[in-house]
């Protein structure tokens, strides 16, 4: 009996990890394909993704009570404005970074997520990281520097611009801010990550909407429609696919960290990065130099070491009334108890 339960759990974990990896890989490569096809429509592309995610959340709420659509109240909107605004700024820089770099280089360009998250969290909590935490951040930082160092073996066309690297840095910085703000924002959403996801997607779409015409993208779209060389199907289908998989990735991330463990989740993220690099070389003919390979390896090792350190230093803490408690530790009356791991997560949505 115990063996059967163990086998069932193993199958569940394998399914969740596969689901997460597939959703994340589809997001990156379809995003990249659309941005290659329509590089002048990044904000419209991102706006459509957010709108589709909101529509799917409404659809999910119609078929299951586990998805809650919150009442749109001004008081809640004001309290959640910081996390929503930081989220959309980070997504914009994330999209602009992916547009300007190769798919296999994307993880390097955003390689400072962990060190910046540790820094922002330490400043916010006025605490000093442990030596092992600093060592992990140091390994990741060295990996980033190795990856962005100029190399004569990389053709000019494959060399990321300084602006793209700056977008990657800003994306990492706002992901760090977002990780800190989530903790203070969840209480305003009844500790529901899906309610917070709804507010974040809807609010981000609302904040982004006026910038689409201001950036001139509606005029660009009209010109492209009348250009015979532009394949509008790539943009339309890409927007739909990434919108759907962005929604699935939100669920996949929750499942991966709750059904499994932070260590398993981080190893699945590492495996995805390796697969993403290989697929980038294969599908987009990306250049993989020794420097870039070493960079990716160091970033992965530093991130996995950090996850192990945090898991060893701090046992999982319990939080009540999380309606998405898919991997509940126990039940007390009608309140589910779910394990919430205090580890900063990378925003794989884009």
């Amino acid at each position: 009996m115990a063996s059967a339960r163990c086998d069932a759990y193993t199958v569940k974990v394998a399914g969740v990890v596969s689901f997460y990896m597939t959703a994340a890989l589809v997001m990156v490569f379809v995003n990249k394909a659309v941005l290659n096809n329509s590089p002048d429509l990044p904000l419209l592309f991102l706006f459509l993704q957010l709108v589709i995610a909101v529509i799917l959340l409404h659809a999910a709420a119609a078929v299951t009570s586990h998805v809650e659509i919150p009442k749109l109240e001004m008081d809640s909107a004001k309290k959640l404005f910081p996390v929503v605004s930081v989220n959309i700024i980070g997504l914009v820089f994330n999209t602009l970074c992916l547009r300007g770099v190769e798919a296999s280089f994307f993880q390097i360009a955003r390689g400072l997520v962990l060190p910046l998250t540790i820094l922002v969290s330490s400043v916010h909590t006025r605490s000093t990281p442990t030596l092992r935490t600093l060592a992990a951040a140091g390994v990741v930082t060295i990996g980033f520097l190795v990856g962005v160092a100029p190399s004569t073996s990389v053709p000019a066309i494959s060399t990321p611009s300084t602006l793209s690297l700056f977008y990657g840095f800003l994306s990492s910085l706002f992901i760090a801010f977002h990780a800190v703000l989530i903790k203070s924002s969840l209480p305003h959403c009844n500790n529901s990550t899906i309610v917070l996801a709804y507010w974040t997607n809807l609010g981000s779409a609302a904040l982004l909407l006026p910038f689409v015409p201001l950036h001139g993208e509606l005029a660009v779209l009209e010109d492209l429609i009348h250009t015979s060389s532009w394949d509008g199907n790539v943009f339309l289908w890409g927007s739909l696919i990434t919108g759907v998989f962005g929604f699935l990735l939100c669920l996949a991330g929750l499942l991966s960290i709750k059904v499994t463990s932070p260590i398993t989740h981080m190893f699945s993220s590492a495996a995805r990065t390796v697969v993403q690099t290989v697929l980038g070389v294969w599908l987009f003919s990306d250049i993989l130099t020794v420097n870039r390979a070493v960079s990716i390896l160091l970033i992965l090792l530093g991130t996995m070491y950090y996850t192990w350190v945090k898991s060893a230093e701090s046992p999982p803490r319990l939080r009540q009334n999380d309606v998405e408690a898919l991997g509940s530790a126990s039940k007390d009356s009608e309140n589910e108890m779910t394990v919430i791991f205090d580890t900063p997560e990378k925003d794989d949505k884009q």
Side-chain angles (χ1 to χ4, degrees):
M1 183 67 69
S3 177
R5 286 198 299 268
C6 182
D7 290 342
Y9 177 74
T10 302
V11 171
K12 178 190 286 188
V13 171
V16 168
V17 170
S18 299
F19 178 37
Y20 167 76
M21 288 181 60
T22 301
L25 287 169
V26 169
M27 278 298 296
V28 171
F29 286 104
V30 176
N31 263 302
K32 185 60 179 174
V34 173
L35 291 171
N36 284 347
N37 176 71
S38 308
D40 296 324
L41 300 175
L43 300 187
L44 178 60
F45 179 44
L46 180 56
F47 173 75
L48 292 176
Q49 290 182 5
L50 294 168
V51 170
I52 292 171
V54 171
I55 293 173
L56 289 175
L57 283 168
H58 276 280
V63 298
T64 176
S65 60
H66 288 289
V67 177
E68 176 188 354
I69 301 299
K71 293 181 180 179
L72 301 182
E73 300 174 342
M74 185 58 66
D75 184 54
S76 296
K78 290 179 180 178
K79 292 177 180 177
L80 295 173
F81 179 78
V83 71
V84 171
S85 58
V86 165
N87 177 74
I88 188 56
I89 294 172
L91 287 180
V92 169
F93 286 130
N94 193 69
T95 302
L96 295 176
C97 175
L98 180 59
R99 182 185 65 175
V101 303
E102 296 179 339
S104 61
F105 191 83
F106 185 51
Q107 291 301 322
I108 299 175
R110 293 198 318 157
L112 290 179
V113 168
L114 178 61
L116 289 175
T117 301
I118 293 171
L119 175 62
V120 171
S121 179
S122 297
V123 172
H124 177 72
T125 59
R126 297 180 181 178
S127 60
T128 303
T130 64
L131 290 177
R132 292 195 294 181
T133 297
L134 292 175
V139 171
V140 172
T141 302
I142 292 172
F144 171 79
L145 295 175
V146 169
V148 301
S151 175
T152 56
S153 60
V154 179
I157 193 174
S158 299
T159 302
S161 66
T162 303
L163 183 59
S164 296
L165 293 177
F166 184 58
Y167 286 148
F169 170 80
L170 291 177
S171 171
S172 301
L173 180 61
F174 279 94
I175 288 173
F177 286 137
H178 189 256
V180 171
L181 287 172
I182 282 177
K183 295 181 181 180
S184 60
S185 300
L186 274 172
H188 304 310
C189 301
N190 298 321
N191 284 330
S192 169
T193 49
I194 287 185
V195 169
L196 180 58
Y198 180 84
W199 271 106
T200 299
N201 281 280
L202 181 63
S204 296
L207 290 176
L208 185 61
L209 179 59
F211 290 95
V212 174
L214 287 175
H215 193 240
E217 294 192 17
L218 295 182
V220 171
L221 178 62
E222 184 178 0
D223 291 338
L224 288 174
I225 291 174
H226 296 93
T227 302
S228 58
S229 60
W230 184 64
D231 189 353
N233 289 326
V234 173
F235 182 79
L236 291 176
W237 280 106
S239 299
L240 178 61
I241 292 171
T242 52
V244 171
F245 273 87
F247 168 76
L248 293 177
L249 186 58
C250 175
L251 300 181
L254 292 173
L255 283 168
S256 183
I257 200 66
K258 290 182 178 180
V259 174
T260 61
S261 70
I263 296 291
T264 306
H265 179 76
M266 191 55 66
F267 270 104
S268 65
S269 297
R272 175 183 57 81
T273 299
V274 173
V275 174
Q276 179 177 316
T277 302
V278 173
L279 289 177
V281 174
W282 178 42
L283 296 175
F284 294 103
S285 300
D286 292 352
I287 303 297
L288 183 62
T289 63
V290 174
N291 274 23
R292 291 184 177 184
V294 171
S295 171
I296 292 171
L297 177 62
L298 289 175
I299 291 172
L300 289 179
L301 289 177
T303 304
M304 288 189 290
Y305 177 65
Y306 170 82
T307 306
W308 177 82
V309 166
K310 293 300 291 184
S311 298
E313 290 179 350
S314 304
R317 52 191 173 86
L318 296 176
R319 178 184 291 156
Q320 289 183 325
N321 301 326
D322 186 343
V323 297
E324 295 83 36
L326 301 173
S328 36
S330 64
K331 284 191 177 181
D332 180 17
S333 300
E334 296 180 355
N335 294 330
E336 284 191 326
M337 305 286 286
T338 183
V339 177
I340 304 295
F341 298 98
D342 189 17
T343 55
E345 288 296 308
K346 285 187 179 182
D347 190 345
D348 289 311
K349 182 177 180 182
Q350 304 308 315

